Amino acid sequence: MSADIIQAMDLQKHFDGGDIKALNGVNASVKKGEVVVVIGPSGSGKSTFLRCLNLLEVPTGGKVLFEGVDITDKKADINLHRQKMGMVFQHFNLFPHMTILRNMTLAPMKLLKKSQADAEAKAKALLERVGLSDRANAYPSQLSGGQKQRIAIVRALCMDPEVMLFDEPTSALDPEMVGEVLEVMKELAKEGMTMVVVTHEMGFAREMADRVIFMAEGKIVEEGAPEEIFTAPRQPRTQDFLAKVL
């Protein structure tokens, strides 16, 4: 496995003047090409951790290195680094007044200075790939939840990211739509995309993760290969959590 692409060092995130410690000294790293899945109970700090990796949440303390650059440093060009980190949220965040094609080409044209022809060619190829090439001129309101989330994933891919961050991408979907979104994520993983995924989908974690991180109360309690975590967790807190969800 290659070098670390992301390193989180002693990450702290406090709310309410320090009363709530959403993150309490998190140390983690992600290697290039690795799929890391973060699991844990609600309120354990999983999403906060993920959002600190591209500074959507600014940590109270600690630092994040991306490709060796401290992006928490005030002098770092965070927008430049964010372009290399695709992010997919629970709620699709598509612009409702724009067609799917326009949703997908806006950022590459504006930020990567791609020509309209190049941006549209890439967007159409990605739509084809997720089976939605016939929806290019539709509007988000005309799509199902599963279709919107697949669009959100390929919209992020239009920026040629080096890392994809997923924040509970299936939790807002009807159960029958979950599979179609996980399928796209599995394809990405197989192609070697570096991914950090916060999810409640234990089947995905077990099948696709190179490493599983279990968080509780703002800390990493345990991490390891999926078979270690799911079949022989060492920590009582992990055992207790998995007994409830598996």
Side-chain angles (χ1 to χ4, degrees):
M1 196 62 91
S2 48
D4 292 338
I5 191 166
I6 299 173
Q7 290 167 285
M9 299 170 164
D10 192 30
L11 273 194
Q12 312 273 343
K13 180 65 184 177
H14 302 164
F15 295 103
D16 290 350
D19 289 345
I20 298 171
K21 293 182 169 58
L23 295 179
N24 199 1
V26 170
N27 292 289
S29 61
V30 180
K31 294 193 181 325
K32 195 163 174 50
E34 192 177 27
V35 177
V36 175
V37 177
V38 186
I39 63 171
S42 294
S44 59
K46 309 183 297 291
S47 289
T48 305
F49 166 63
L50 192 77
R51 293 166 72 91
C52 280
L53 295 182
N54 65 356
L55 300 202
L56 281 181
E57 290 279 5
V58 178
T60 312
K63 56 186 178 182
V64 178
L65 270 54
F66 179 63
E67 297 184 320
V69 176
D70 178 2
I71 60 173
T72 40
D73 184 340
K74 296 272 188 286
K75 295 191 282 288
D77 181 352
I78 184 56
N79 290 324
L80 185 67
H81 294 290
R82 272 197 194 128
Q83 287 174 23
K84 300 177 187 178
M85 290 193 201
M87 179 107 186
V88 178
F89 301 90
Q90 196 170 343
H91 298 286
F92 331 108
N93 293 13
L94 298 172
F95 295 114
H97 60 290
M98 292 181 187
T99 65
I100 295 309
L101 193 61
R102 183 82 180 114
N103 261 289
M104 292 176 69
T105 55
L106 183 66
M109 287 166 65
K110 207 169 169 174
L111 300 172
L112 302 182
K113 306 289 184 254
K114 283 193 175 180
S115 69
Q116 184 170 346
D118 284 352
E120 287 189 355
K122 169 125 189 160
K124 285 173 177 170
L126 285 165
L127 285 173
E128 179 83 38
R129 183 176 154 177
V130 295
L132 291 172
S133 50
D134 59 333
R135 311 304 278 158
N137 296 314
Y139 286 86
S141 61
Q142 298 168 299
L143 272 56
S144 71
Q147 288 174 326
K148 284 182 202 166
Q149 196 59 296
R150 282 186 280 161
I151 297 293
I153 294 172
V154 290
R155 176 180 61 174
L157 293 175
C158 281
M159 292 293 289
D160 297 317
E162 288 166 37
V163 176
M164 286 285 284
L165 307 176
F166 292 89
D167 189 8
E168 302 199 12
T170 57
S171 63
L173 299 178
D174 294 335
E176 67 267 26
M177 292 175 187
V178 168
E180 63 193 51
V181 173
L182 292 179
E183 212 41 59
V184 175
M185 292 169 66
K186 285 176 187 174
E187 285 301 313
L188 277 180
K190 285 177 193 155
E191 285 164 17
M193 173 61 79
T194 308
M195 294 163 62
V196 185
V197 184
V198 169
T199 187
H200 295 292
E201 300 293 334
M202 297 301 148
F204 176 83
R206 196 170 226 162
E207 183 187 348
M208 298 310 299
D210 295 302
R211 191 153 45 93
V212 175
I213 291 176
F214 171 70
M215 287 184 71
E217 286 152 18
K219 292 188 165 116
I220 292 177
V221 176
E222 187 166 354
E223 62 180 297
E227 58 271 22
E228 290 169 34
I229 298 294
F230 288 110
T231 55
R234 296 184 302 278
Q235 300 298 328
R237 185 71 187 84
T238 320
Q239 293 163 3
D240 179 51
F241 173 76
L242 291 172
K244 292 189 176 106
V245 299
L246 292 179

